[in-house]
Amino acid sequence: MRLIRGLHNLRDRDRGCVATIGNFDGVHLGHRTVFQRLLERGRALGLPATVITFEPQSMEFFNPDGAPARLTRLREKVSAIADDGIERIMLLEFGPRLAAMDACCFIDRLLVRGLGVRFLLVGDDFRFGHNREGDFALLRSVGAEQGFAVENLHTIKHAEERVSSTRIREALARGDLEQARHLLGRPYCIRGRVAHGDKRGRTIGFPTANIHLHRRVSPVTGVYAVTVHGVGDAPLPAVANVGKRPTVGGAEPRLEVHLFDFDGDLYGAHLRVEFRLKLREEQRFESFDALKQQIARDAAAARHYLSAKTAFDPSAAMPRSRALF
């Protein structure tokens, strides 16, 4: 997969493709349906499939304090798109220059002269260009003149349910991980590198792997039963907290994961944390001892749930971990 960062990095070999445009936050079942449709047209035309996306997302530029929570940060999104077989990702920086570009200039510079698009797949409500002046009708009109076809995407449903990033955010916000999994086509996860924390957890018998969220707003908060990938060959059971840690005066949200029965060095490791069950909301305790007692209860609840799930589904077996480092 080729990642093209900005129009200035386009090369002659990048011309000639089929393409789609969007934020693709979460890379859910609806997005993956789009990608499969795009790949089919690409194979029919003998052209590579290109996904055009933006960083930051437009709402994060125009209204940073009111933008919705990110389901996936850029690294996670690029990885998920590549996993679906897309050959190229055209990444555009959404800043003042792109926001001020009029719609016809956007079509000419990016789609016509830049990528040489032969087929474009977009939502029928897609808007672009300065003041959102560009729409599906304009794309189809210019496409007829410039020799590229434009097809619209209607609402994509799965089991009669509309699939959208908004619905997934809503499911995660109310702790409905099963609904989120249903719409994503996989468990919701956060990936990241383990960083040094304040090391309070190890003083009470619950050492944690600390992962920075790298997003302004997290779509999940609270305490969860999770499985962790990236330590050895099999996923490991764990309990996790996402939040600011109010009992210890934390300020920046982070993901803290306690792996059961694990004794090893994880600093610098890249982990994928899959969220399986929400146990409770984050809360402030009157003492550190009260927090320790609650963490013990959370860990016991997470162990019980994950072991029961493993017994029910042998293919999801999660052996008790050993010191692997």
Side-chain angles (χ1 to χ4, degrees):
M1 191 277 297
R2 171 165 158 74
L3 176 62
I4 308 166
R5 291 179 175 268
L7 288 169
H8 60 285
N9 280 319
L10 280 169
R11 301 292 179 262
D12 288 343
R13 67 179 185 272
D14 298 319
R15 287 186 50 78
C17 67
V18 297
T20 187
I21 308 176
N23 287 319
F24 304 110
D25 188 27
V27 193
H28 53 60
L29 283 178
H31 298 145
R32 292 159 69 187
T33 300
V34 171
F35 299 158
Q36 290 309 306
R37 169 65 176 152
L38 192 67
L39 288 164
E40 289 172 5
R41 287 305 300 265
R43 285 191 290 268
L45 296 172
L47 295 171
T50 299
V51 167
I52 303 167
T53 192
F54 309 94
E55 186 66 27
Q57 296 178 171
S58 58
M59 281 291 291
E60 294 170 337
F61 171 77
F62 288 116
N63 184 19
D65 293 330
R70 286 284 289 265
L71 296 172
T72 46
R73 63 190 184 104
L74 178 61
R75 182 190 294 268
E76 295 168 320
K77 180 165 68 173
V78 167
S79 176
I81 293 173
D83 286 345
D84 279 323
I86 295 297
E87 291 103 325
R88 299 174 185 165
I89 298 176
M90 175 79 245
L91 181 64
L92 299 176
E93 179 185 2
F94 203 104
R97 180 176 299 179
L98 188 60
M101 185 181 294
D102 69 63
C104 288
C105 182
F106 180 89
I107 297 172
D108 180 61
R109 290 189 59 190
L110 177 64
L111 303 181
V112 178
R113 291 191 290 126
L115 289 170
V117 169
R118 293 274 305 281
F119 170 79
L120 183 67
L121 193 57
V122 295
D124 52 13
D125 60 349
F126 176 65
R127 304 301 294 262
F128 64 99
H130 183 59
N131 291 329
R132 294 168 54 85
E133 62 190 3
D135 58 11
F136 179 78
L138 177 63
L139 284 168
R140 176 159 282 185
S141 173
V142 176
E145 296 173 1
Q146 296 293 335
F148 64 88
V150 184
E151 184 175 303
N152 65 335
L153 294 166
H154 300 290
T155 298
I156 296 172
K157 295 184 178 182
H158 178 69
E160 300 306 314
E161 293 181 285
R162 181 174 179 270
V163 182
S164 71
S165 300
T166 297
R167 288 200 65 203
I168 295 167
R169 292 187 195 99
E170 291 170 350
L172 293 174
R174 64 176 181 267
D176 190 347
L177 296 178
E178 182 60 24
Q179 174 72 348
R181 184 200 63 77
H182 179 72
L183 297 172
L184 283 165
R186 62 188 184 280
Y188 180 70
C189 70
I190 291 178
R191 302 170 187 252
R193 184 192 295 271
V194 178
H196 288 275
D198 50 31
K199 299 179 174 60
R200 287 192 180 94
R202 67 177 58 183
T203 66
I204 57 174
F206 293 97
T208 59
N210 299 281
I211 299 173
H212 294 296
L213 295 172
H214 296 290
R215 60 199 86 197
R216 184 183 292 270
V217 181
S218 172
V220 290
T221 58
V223 180
Y224 297 82
V226 302
T227 54
V228 179
H229 299 249
V231 185
D233 297 328
L236 302 181
V239 63
N241 181 79
V242 184
K244 295 184 178 181
R245 300 153 292 124
T247 303
V248 298
E252 179 184 345
R254 70 170 63 161
L255 167 59
E256 295 181 316
V257 185
H258 170 67
L259 286 81
F260 301 142
D261 310 312
F262 179 82
D263 181 17
D265 184 0
L266 289 173
Y267 291 122
H270 283 277
L271 303 181
R272 183 174 89 248
V273 181
E274 292 189 352
F275 292 77
R276 299 291 184 168
L277 178 71
K278 185 165 187 176
L279 300 173
R280 63 175 175 87
E281 296 291 346
E282 187 179 46
Q283 64 189 94
R284 184 182 184 279
F285 293 91
E286 293 303 316
S287 68
F288 204 51
D289 187 59
L291 171 62
K292 176 181 176 180
Q293 293 177 33
Q294 183 59 55
I295 292 174
R297 290 191 288 269
D298 295 335
R303 276 184 188 270
H304 177 75
Y305 173 78
L306 294 170
S307 62
K309 291 289 285 185
T310 303
F312 179 75
D313 181 8
S315 67
M318 297 172 295
R320 293 170 73 87
S321 63
R322 300 186 302 274
L324 301 175
F325 291 83

